[in-house]
Amino acid sequence: LFQASIQNVKIKMLKLITVLAMCALSTGFKVAPTAALRKGTSLRVVETPNPELNSFTGAFIETGGRVWDPWGLSNWVPPSWAREAELANGRSAMLATVGWVWPKWFGAFPGFDDVTTTDPIGALTQADPQWWAQFILFCGVIEFNKYKAGQNGKNYLGETDGEPFYDPAGIFGRTPEAREKMAERELKNARLAMLGIASFAAGHFIPGSVPCLPPGF
């Protein structure tokens, strides 16, 4: 009975979050008048995005040929800072997605006897504190080197100008066209990974909330 009550609370919370998200989206967009439509249907944002976005990668056909900023957030924060945060979270999400899927399909790496589960959330609690300390130190080293490389003119945003911050395999490309294509691929995969890892977490804590996701994934 207690578990059933907890499940009902989770379902109600999920419904509430969905309703709030829909309300937020409805306030951020307004539909273009029918007379102004040419072919298909488009959404017109209330607030005009920062013109600085025109120099950024991300004007995809999926976003109407413009950099995606439906709420005009670029008018409140520096666009370069927002893109850097987006890429940082997207790259972390790509690694997190691999880290979530790998143990379930291939098992844990040998030598880590303290972790006895393939459940990602459970593994976080089983990991030795010494590992967490090393991980935090490793992240600090990366951030320091990223900052130092930025001071020397290196590029972290994945744009076509400037040399990349870290590219040991040389996959970033040497021509502006190749770099633009790689930057677009990274941005799309980063956004997909953020949605993917969010769906994994939602399915873990609220079973059945993500369609087509196997139970216990």
Side-chain angles (χ1 to χ4, degrees), residues 74-127:
S74 56
N75 292 318
W76 300 92
V77 297
S80 58
W81 181 88
R83 174 54 60 86
E84 183 174 344
E86 180 182 26
L87 283 175
N89 283 281
R91 290 163 180 169
S92 299
M94 287 189 279
L95 291 174
T97 301
V98 174
W100 191 292
V101 174
W102 183 278
K104 294 182 177 296
W105 288 357
F106 304 103
F109 290 111
F112 293 90
D113 299 332
D114 51 333
V115 178
T116 59
T117 179
T118 58
D119 178 83
I121 305 301
L124 292 177
T125 60
Q126 290 185 0

Side-chain angles (χ1 to χ4, degrees), residues 25-38 41-49 63 66 68-72:
L25 288 173
S26 65
T27 58
F29 296 93
K30 66 177 182 180
V31 180
T34 306
L37 296 179
R38 296 180 180 177
T41 302
S42 61
L43 292 176
R44 183 175 300 171
V45 296
V46 175
E47 196 168 354
T48 304
T63 58
R66 59 188 299 178
W68 182 246
D69 186 22
W71 288 344

Side-chain angles (χ1 to χ4, degrees), residues 17-192:
I17 293 173
T18 303
V19 171
L20 292 175
M22 293 178 65
C23 292
L25 288 173
S26 65
T27 58
F29 296 93
K30 66 177 182 180
V31 180
T34 306
L37 296 179
R38 296 180 180 177
K39 292 182 179 180
T41 302
S42 61
L43 292 176
R44 183 175 300 171
V45 296
V46 175
E47 196 168 354
T48 304
N50 193 318
E52 188 179 342
L53 291 179
N54 296 330
S55 61
F56 278 47
T57 300
F60 306 130
I61 187 174
E62 302 94 330
T63 58
R66 59 188 299 178
V67 177
W68 182 246
D69 186 22
W71 288 344
L73 298 179
S74 56
N75 292 318
W76 300 92
V77 297
S80 58
W81 181 88
R83 174 54 60 86
E84 183 174 344
E86 180 182 26
L87 283 175
N89 283 281
R91 290 163 180 169
S92 299
M94 287 189 279
L95 291 174
T97 301
V98 174
W100 191 292
V101 174
W102 183 278
K104 294 182 177 296
W105 288 357
F106 304 103
F109 290 111
F112 293 90
D113 299 332
D114 51 333
V115 178
T116 59
T117 179
T118 58
D119 178 83
I121 305 301
L124 292 177
T125 60
Q126 290 185 0
D128 193 287
Q130 177 180 259
W131 182 90
W132 283 109
Q134 295 175 358
F135 176 73
I136 294 174
L137 180 61
F138 176 69
C139 291
V141 171
I142 292 178
E143 289 298 317
F144 174 77
N145 282 277
K146 184 182 72 175
Y147 173 79
K148 186 177 179 180
Q151 296 297 309
N152 294 328
K154 295 294 184 68
N155 194 320
Y156 173 77
L157 300 179
E159 303 295 332
T160 57
D161 57 327
E163 291 300 316
F165 154 62
Y166 183 72
D167 185 28
I171 63 175
F172 187 60
R174 298 305 174 194
T175 64
E177 293 78 12
R179 290 186 173 187
E180 182 177 4
K181 182 177 293 187
M182 181 58 67
E184 290 179 353
R185 289 175 178 174
E186 182 185 31
L187 187 59
K188 289 185 176 182
N189 281 279
R191 291 172 176 174
L192 179 62

